[in-house]
Amino acid sequence: MNPIIVVEGTTDFTKIKQVGYKYCVKTCGFCVSRETINFLKSCSINRNIILLLDPDGPGRNIAKKIKLYIPEAIVLDPFKASESKRHGKVGIAYRSIEDLKKALINYPYDDKEKESITREELVELGLMGNKNLRIKIATRYNISSSSLNAIFEGLNMLNVTIKELKGTIAVSYTHLTLPTT
């Protein structure tokens, strides 16, 4: 299964997506939320959690906090802070695509990995027009946003199938009629 790359912020997140990794989680800085920790812990059952953080104090503190709850998370430290400072910037966002590919070479991404759930299945379940249902699903699975895209990516990172999702919805919302597949 493809790894999940954990980064600090939006710019880092965008850079990892440019490298070609589909599954990426941002901590939104030093204050890693309990929701993010719980989400990553659930993901770690099926996927490697790779911490690719800035080589500075905040980056080390984030890694320490995540490792406290997810000891099996892998900390990559390919860039030395002193080397980065020579270039004027310390962060992952300022590294070249080639540098990041080299850093992640032992954790390849397979773009042929099948999704556990499709966008179409989420739409068929009525998630597109039902914000309350999306919020409840996001809360149940510790997904940080209730947008359809975030739900889709989060459920796939967790490897949740349509059958499991229907079961979750049925247990919580017995008044809903779900389409059969």
Side-chain angles (χ1 to χ4, degrees), residues 107-173:
Y107 306 97
Y109 178 78
D110 178 8
D111 60 357
K112 292 177 179 54
E113 180 181 305
K114 189 177 179 333
E115 296 168 338
S116 62
I117 199 163
T118 66
R119 288 180 201 280
E120 292 77 21
E121 289 170 324
L122 295 179
V123 169
E124 286 173 16
L125 285 176
L127 269 71
M128 181 172 265
N130 191 335
K131 185 175 182 178
N132 289 334
L133 180 56
R134 289 195 315 270
I135 289 169
K136 288 177 181 176
I137 289 170
T139 301
R140 160 62 182 87
Y141 289 102
N142 293 300
I143 298 170
S144 63
S145 169
S146 62
S147 74
L148 190 62
N149 278 342
I151 300 278
F152 169 72
E153 285 189 9
L155 291 174
N156 275 292
M157 282 189 240
L158 289 163
N159 207 31
V160 173
T161 65
I162 187 67
K163 182 178 179 181
E164 291 167 320
L165 183 58
K166 283 181 178 182
T168 298
I169 292 170
V171 166
S172 300
Y173 314 102

Side-chain angles (χ1 to χ4, degrees), residues 5-149:
I5 312 300
V6 179
V7 296
E8 289 180 51
T10 303
T11 311
D12 301 337
F13 179 89
T14 301
K15 193 74 168 223
I16 294 302
K17 293 286 190 165
Q18 289 171 349
V19 172
Y21 284 77
K22 184 176 180 180
Y23 299 138
C24 187
V25 171
K26 57 187 169 188
T27 65
C28 297
F30 178 67
C31 213
V32 185
S33 72
R34 189 75 177 132
E35 180 181 70
T36 299
I37 296 277
N38 289 339
F39 176 75
L40 290 171
K41 186 148 185 67
S42 295
C43 288
S44 72
I45 293 167
N46 294 314
R47 299 184 186 279
N48 283 326
I49 305 300
I50 310 297
L51 308 179
L52 186 58
L53 305 162
D54 295 347
D56 57 10
R60 286 189 296 278
N61 287 336
I62 292 167
K64 204 179 293 183
K65 183 173 183 179
I66 291 172
K67 290 281 288 178
L68 181 65
Y69 296 98
I70 310 167
E72 64 275 17
I74 300 162
V75 179
L76 289 187
D77 191 14
F79 312 117
K80 302 294 175 225
S82 58
E83 174 191 320
S84 296
K85 285 180 184 172
R86 276 184 295 179
H87 296 97
K89 302 289 181 179
V90 204
I92 297 302
Y94 301 103
R95 296 313 230 164
S96 71
I97 298 291
E98 283 309 309
D99 282 349
L100 293 170
K101 282 182 180 179
K102 285 178 193 169
L104 293 164
I105 196 155
N106 292 323
Y107 306 97
Y109 178 78
D110 178 8
D111 60 357
K112 292 177 179 54
E113 180 181 305
K114 189 177 179 333
E115 296 168 338
S116 62
I117 199 163
T118 66
R119 288 180 201 280
E120 292 77 21
E121 289 170 324
L122 295 179
V123 169
E124 286 173 16
L125 285 176
L127 269 71
M128 181 172 265
N130 191 335
K131 185 175 182 178
N132 289 334
L133 180 56
R134 289 195 315 270
I135 289 169
K136 288 177 181 176
I137 289 170
T139 301
R140 160 62 182 87
Y141 289 102
N142 293 300
I143 298 170
S144 63
S145 169
S146 62
S147 74
L148 190 62
N149 278 342

